[in-house]
Amino acid sequence: MRSSRSNIVHLALLLAALPALPACSQEPERDEAPLAESHDLALGTVMKNGVPLSTRDASLNAPTTLAGRERATIAERAVRYHWPEYPPSIRTIGENVQVNDPALDQIHVLRTDPPTRPFVNVTQSETSIAAHERNIVVAYNTSAGVEPVVEGGAVVFQRMFFSGFSTSNDGGVTWESGFIPPLPGSTRTLGDPVVRSDRRGIFHFVGLTEDAEGQGGVQANRSTDGGRTWTDAVFVAQDDGADKSWLAVGPDPVRRRRDNLYVTWTSFQPPEAPVRSELRFARSTDGGVTWTSKVVFVPEVETEPAPLLDAIQFTNPFVDPDDGTLYLPFLQFSGMDADFIRMLVSRDAGETFEFVEFNLPGAPDPTLLPVVQPGERIDCGDDGGVRLAITDGPRRAGRGGLPTYVHASRLIVQPTLAARGGVVYLAWSASTSETVGEADSGSNIFLLRSDDRGRTWTRPIPVTSTAGENIHHVLPAVTVGNDPSHVHIVYYTQNRDRSVDVEMASSFERGASFGDGDRQHVTDTSFRLAPTNIPLDPPVDDDFPTTNFDRVVRPCYCLGEYLDVTSERRKLYSAWGDLRNLIREPRHPKNPISGQRHSQADVFFQAFRER
């Protein structure tokens, strides 16, 4: 069993990280662990206007090479180009393709006395994508690698591989799937996947992990054969408080022929520590074989010039492929409605960092970019905490006057960045309300541009609008096209009927504007959210047990916390969590939605050709 600190750290990540579940538990059968966090003391929980809000990741971890299955895909039909009604600048290649192999999904109905609820391990979402020539790799969270078994009358997890991947070596026509290898001797990978490619076509993976002794941290793997097989993992850093790791790959600013690998993450500190979180950084100059790490920023509680908290999250580093400048945006929380995007920049491969000054009029400090996070503040039960989310279905009463919904997908604000030739693009999602968590609010995507390597910035440029059929535009990802003046942003939209799509907005003038004719659907069918927050009992005081239908996943986790888009020559590739596929629940006396049919999350892919 892992240490107490490690248990506390990872409980906000994974429901699967709990010890043996007694088969003789009483009604209701809860998905809980003895070291579950209290709402007021939880690592990664911030108080906003006196109300707790959880900020930790709620992700989901297996053969070490490809499963050897080739899915039926668009190779079996003629590839078609779909032309919009307006003169096309971007054209869609083929149709949406599911990349994860559904044969890897598992439903476990275990024989115990008394019965225990089935394990429906079918969730794949939170996607990252990288491409080199015709090789494409998509990494994602998956619950299909979790194997519960009965030992001594109790349910234990024989293996927990939450980090999955799918690979195409023919430009996205056919795909094969597998699970990222863990650290040697370990049976756990803990998700938060990011995959990137260097200039030689070597693919690099980074995600959360746990070694054979139960020590948590960040792992790295690499593939030298186009993503078909992966090396055993190595520790980027051992850190029991690690969360939300991210990877950037790009040229060294001095030794331009060498690609450096940079990894950043939030390190949540134990209650006795003088600070609550640290921004940590690691670098590899030998292709991910060895790593050095350090702390680059320690936030402090401040009242002036803004009510900043000692809590940061959601780093998203990016390297300019032309000059090697490293940009590191992240979110720093406040105790008020608006939080703040901040950005560090390094022009010497991570040796030193300095804060970027946005100089936004009305902002309390030049380095602060105010943002009210999108979504409604809802109760996701004892294990899910209080979250901002998009929702579907009836509104019910939760704890403390908060609403709760059975169908919900939690939201975050992770600033997304792309750069080329010193031109930098920063995008994010923000609420249409000045009050965080307001039920009737919508959300939009905004963009900032710098033409001089982050020294000066434009004012925020609106990318989307809630005036049409979409009320929410969330979790964006940005890339620069083959033409450096082309900027493409992919994001989820929630429509007024509460269905969900993925869209892409494109600007062909360096982000100066995004017209209606430059936005198009990525998804070719809309979908509904899955039942991720099912009450097991009515809320009573501070007690409110809920469960995700996929019980090894935290309540209110559905779409994941990010999707992705990348550019390779004149093509764009995007991957996202998609819920168009349906599943029927196994009939079981302990299953709160026994026999019901509902959506499940899979990973889908779409290719585009630029003008």
Side-chain angles (χ1 to χ4, degrees):
M1 182 181 293
R2 53 161 72 120
S3 66
S4 296
R5 179 185 173 195
S6 180
N7 261 307
I8 294 174
V9 167
H10 285 106
L11 277 168
L13 278 171
L14 308 166
L15 188 55
L18 49 90
L21 297 173
C24 58
S25 60
Q26 302 297 314
E27 289 280 5
E29 184 191 9
R30 307 182 185 204
D31 296 319
E32 64 182 4
L35 293 177
E37 309 162 66
S38 63
H39 292 305
D40 55 344
L41 298 177
L43 294 181
T45 294
V46 298
M47 298 296 293
K48 296 187 71 61
N49 296 326
V51 179
L53 181 69
S54 181
T55 68
R56 285 189 61 79
D57 184 23
S59 307
L60 320 164
N61 295 307
T64 60
T65 60
L66 294 175
R69 303 180 179 90
E70 187 171 290
R71 289 183 33 71
T73 64
I74 57 174
E76 299 177 0
R77 55 185 177 269
V79 175
R80 294 180 293 160
Y81 293 102
H82 301 281
W83 296 86
E85 295 179 358
Y86 49 89
S89 300
I90 301 293
R91 59 186 185 185
T92 304
I93 303 174
E95 300 174 349
N96 296 171
V97 178
Q98 182 178 339
V99 305
N100 65 289
D101 187 348
L104 297 179
D105 288 348
Q106 301 183 57
I107 297 178
H108 300 272
V109 181
L110 304 179
R111 295 187 177 183
T112 59
D113 186 18
T116 186
R117 295 203 320 274
F119 289 85
V120 185
N121 298 351
V122 298
T123 299
Q124 287 90 19
S125 60
E126 197 161 289
T127 57
S128 177
I129 190 169
H132 182 80
E133 297 179 348
R134 291 180 61 78
N135 297 325
I136 308 170
V137 177
V138 179
Y140 44 87
N141 285 339
T142 175
S143 65
V146 178
E147 291 190 2
V149 296
V150 178
E151 292 183 2
V155 177
V156 298
F157 295 99
Q158 190 168 265
R159 182 184 70 181
M160 293 196 301
F161 291 169
F162 275 110
S163 299
F165 73 97
S166 297
T167 296
S168 175
N169 301 123
D170 55 13
V173 178
T174 59
W175 295 82
E176 295 179 341
S177 301
F179 299 90
I180 294 291
L183 293 164
S186 175
T187 59
R188 294 188 177 191
T189 58
L190 301 180
D192 271 7
V194 183
V195 62
R196 294 293 182 256
S197 173
D198 63 25
R199 285 175 290 180
R200 294 182 296 164
I202 297 175
F203 287 90
H204 300 273
F205 170 89
V206 161
L208 298 178
T209 193
E210 188 177 275
D211 67 13
E213 285 71 46
Q215 299 180 104
V218 182
Q219 75 172 54
N221 307 70
R222 59 180 181 161
S223 173
T224 59
D225 59 3
R228 290 187 291 274
T229 62
W230 296 82
T231 62
D232 286 339
V234 298
F235 253 140
V236 172
Q238 191 278 314
D239 181 357
D240 285 334
D243 192 29
K244 215 62 188 169
S245 53
W246 206 264
L247 169 67
V249 180
D252 186 277
V254 175
R255 300 178 180 179
R256 295 293 181 89
R257 294 184 178 182
R258 185 184 75 193
D259 279 341
N260 294 338
L261 279 64
Y262 305 103
V263 175
T264 59
W265 67 96
T266 300
S267 178
F268 288 108
Q269 301 300 293
E272 64 272 15
V275 296
R276 298 178 64 188
S277 62
E278 297 175 345
L279 197 166
R280 296 192 177 182
F281 167 86
R283 181 181 67 191
S284 175
T285 59
D286 57 9
V289 177
T290 61
W291 296 82
T292 58
S293 61
K294 63 181 179 180
V295 176
V296 296
F297 178 58
V298 179
E300 298 179 355
V301 175
E302 300 179 27
T303 56
E304 296 293 338
L308 296 173
L309 299 177
D310 55 348
I312 58 101
Q313 252 292 37
F314 314 130
T315 64
N316 198 342
F318 189 88
V319 182
D320 189 321
D322 287 350
D323 63 21
T325 303
L326 172 63
Y327 301 93
L328 177 49
F330 61 92
L331 193 70
Q332 184 166 358
F333 296 94
S334 83
M336 308 302 287
D337 290 295
D339 297 309
F340 298 97
I341 294 173
R342 307 190 75 178
M343 187 191 302
L344 293 166
V345 62
S346 176
R347 308 183 198 280
D348 55 9
E351 291 294 325
T352 62
F353 287 88
E354 62 184 7
F355 273 106
V356 163
E357 293 189 351
F358 298 110
N359 291 304
L360 194 68
D365 183 86
T367 68
L368 301 178
L369 178 60
V371 55
V372 177
Q373 295 193 64
E376 182 178 2
R377 182 155 37 193
I378 69 170
D379 189 352
C380 293
D382 295 335
D383 291 327
V386 177
R387 297 285 185 180
L388 298 171
I390 56 172
T391 62
D392 191 6
R395 175 186 175 117
R396 296 178 171 87
R399 296 167 296 180
L402 291 175
T404 187
Y405 297 82
V406 170
H407 298 79
S409 186
R410 56 163 296 189
L411 298 176
I412 64 167
V413 170
Q414 181 173 23
T416 176
L417 187 142
R420 188 182 299 170
V423 180
V424 189
Y425 302 95
L426 177 70
W428 70 96
S429 176
S431 175
T432 57
S433 173
E434 296 182 355
T435 303
V436 67
E438 191 169 87
D440 296 329
S441 62
S443 56
N444 281 313
I445 310 293
F446 293 89
L447 180 79
L448 286 183
R449 188 187 76 242
S450 170
D451 296 326
D452 53 9
R453 295 175 171 82
R455 293 179 174 87
T456 61
W457 295 82
T458 65
R459 297 294 175 257
I461 301 163
V463 177
T464 62
S465 170
T466 58
E469 290 302 311
N470 309 136
I471 54 175
H472 281 291
H473 309 79
V474 294
L475 307 179
V478 62
T479 192
V480 178
N482 182 69
D483 184 323
S485 66
H486 294 184
V487 185
H488 309 283
I489 303 176
V490 172
Y491 49 90
Y492 290 105
T493 66
Q494 187 174 40
N495 308 309
R496 295 195 182 277
D497 66 357
R498 300 294 173 172
S499 64
V500 178
D501 279 290
V502 176
E503 290 185 354
M504 181 167 65
S506 299
S507 172
F508 304 98
E509 46 187 5
R510 300 200 309 169
S513 65
F514 292 83
D516 290 339
D518 297 322
R519 285 191 289 268
Q520 64 188 97
H521 276 287
V522 175
T523 45
D524 50 28
T525 184
S526 303
F527 52 83
R528 314 298 296 216
L529 299 178
T532 61
N533 190 33
I534 306 162
L536 298 174
D537 233 7
V540 177
D541 299 325
D542 291 332
D543 188 25
F544 184 29
T546 68
T547 183
N548 199 306
F549 84 89
D550 187 336
R551 61 183 297 194
V552 301
V553 182
R554 281 285 178 182
C556 294
Y557 178 95
C558 187
L559 297 173
E561 296 185 335
Y562 47 89
L563 45 57
D564 208 1
V565 62
T566 191
S567 172
E568 175 64 7
R569 299 183 178 179
R570 289 192 175 274
K571 290 185 179 179
L572 303 171
Y573 302 121
S574 183
W576 65 94
D578 189 293
L579 289 96
R580 70 187 67 188
N581 293 331
L582 302 179
I583 187 172
R584 187 171 296 281
E585 286 284 327
R587 297 188 181 276
H588 194 278
K590 285 283 190 136
N591 189 346
I593 54 173
S594 177
Q596 293 184 25
R597 199 163 179 247
H598 60 77
S599 58
Q600 69 171 79
D602 291 295
V603 176
F604 275 71
F605 163 89
Q606 182 63 59
F608 302 87
R609 189 183 302 278
E610 287 193 284
R611 177 173 53 190

